[in-house]
Amino acid sequence: MSNPKSISVLGSTGSIGVNTLQIAAKNTDRIKIKYLTANKNSDLIISQTQQFLPNAIAITDPQAFEHAKNALKNSSVEILFGKEGLNEIASRDDVDLVVNAVVGKSGLEPTICALEMGKDIALANKESLVMAGEWVMKLTKERNATVFPIDSEHSAIWQCLSGENQKQVNKIILTGSGGPFRQYPLDQFSSIAPEQALKHPNWSMGAKITVDSATMMNKGLEIIEARWLFDFPPEQIEILIHPQSIIHSMVEFVDGSIKAQLGLPDMKIPIQYALSYPDRWHADWEKIDFTKLASLTFESPDLNRFPCLSLAMDALERGGIYPAALNIMNEFAVYAFLDRKILFTDIAICVEQILSLGDLANWEINLQSFQELETVAKDILNNIEKQCCK
Ligand code: NDP
Ligand code: MG
């Protein structure tokens, strides 16, 4: 057998990060964990460090950093601090693959750092592509690197496109469960509580993406992600609601033939494929038993019910910095909703407001603009918070 693949796991304490490490633990002859990073969960990264013995770890939160430094003082692991530490780990050259499982806008800089070094990335952090898809994919090409998607829909599309001629694709059909509020009374949307939005019918995931799934912003972010990953124009990407989450996406070809990728809703499958590619590794997790599947159903997305979906399509259409503005505003709004400072329905209102700022059209796409967008987004959020929940 060849040498194990050495990897870094950015965001190792999150839902994707933990699943990645579980796969690594079952495949110690194939994967060597070299670096880990966390934000606040020092207890978990301490135990992960003791289990996987990485060369170095980075922790962005100051208190968590102090705690881990103290707890690991007798170990030889190097402990880096802050955003700089995270970026340094992402830039380390002695790995074969960087798994980016950081959530939200904080995942963009590590993506850029890894690509600058010509490293291949297994990318869960869809926000990197939403904010800077053109930049990220250009850099990928320039540095001769590859981005392997972890997002289940994009893993499905990647697998369906394998061996095919891109020019003979009619359309990509991106499936989505429709989330917990697909049939919830529309007149009660404004009173949806965080606990309700955090209950996804099929998938177990981190808080931000679970709320994004409830507003269906997640599907909007995924159209933008697919647009850049696979280089298809928005007109060739269609959304289809499939509540059972068994078909993870499909590709229709010019002859009317359709390829689909299926599996139980478990992120370990797409994560492992991104690690094992071009191979497939034996796995003992539960497989589909077709005789036990009651039915697979499909419907069109309801844009009236889920305005975030049309806002994302609108941002993609406008291009430039608009998708980044959408992403940054959405992220602030989601956390404000989770903190009960705004209503569920205010998330879309915030995003609509930022997209209606006409002068964004001339903004350049770079890290400084993203920083400035954060200030704009915070102002919008402050105003909405003042009106809400008084
Ligand atoms: P989680 O919230 O579970 O985990 C996020 C990870 O990022 C944690 O390790 C967290 O550290 C770390 N983190 C949080 N904030 C920061 C920050 N400011 N700087 C550095 N690190 C930070 O998220 P998920 O695992 O659910 O999602 C990760 C990414 O994968 C997201 O982009 C999501 O959209 C995408 N994704 C997730 C899926 C899923 O099933 N979960 C499916 C498809 C895509 P700590 O916990 O220590 O605070
Ligand atoms: Mg997905």
Side-chain angles (χ1 to χ4, degrees), residues 126 151-153 218 222:
K126 63 188 86 186
D151 211 349
S152 58
E153 295 77 3
N218 184 49
E222 289 182 354

Side-chain angles (χ1 to χ4, degrees), residues 156-166 169 172 230 232 251 253 259:
I157 296 162
W158 174 31
Q159 294 176 62
C160 293
L161 288 173
S162 171
E164 300 290 348
N165 181 340
Q166 184 108 355
V169 169
I172 284 177
F230 304 110
F232 283 106
V251 175
F253 297 92
K259 275 164 89 174

Side-chain angles (χ1 to χ4, degrees), residues 150-157 159 203 222 248-249 261 267 270:
I150 282 183
D151 211 349
S152 58
E153 295 77 3
H154 304 75
S155 177
I157 296 162
Q159 294 176 62
W203 297 94
E222 289 182 354
H248 299 306
S249 278
Q261 187 264 345
M267 284 309 294

Side-chain angles (χ1 to χ4, degrees), residues 11 13-16 39-41 101 106 124 126-127 151 205-206 267:
T13 46
S15 168
I16 295 288
N39 183 36
K40 287 194 157 93
N41 196 341
S106 306
K126 63 188 86 186
E127 293 89 347
D151 211 349
M205 312 179 284
M267 284 309 294

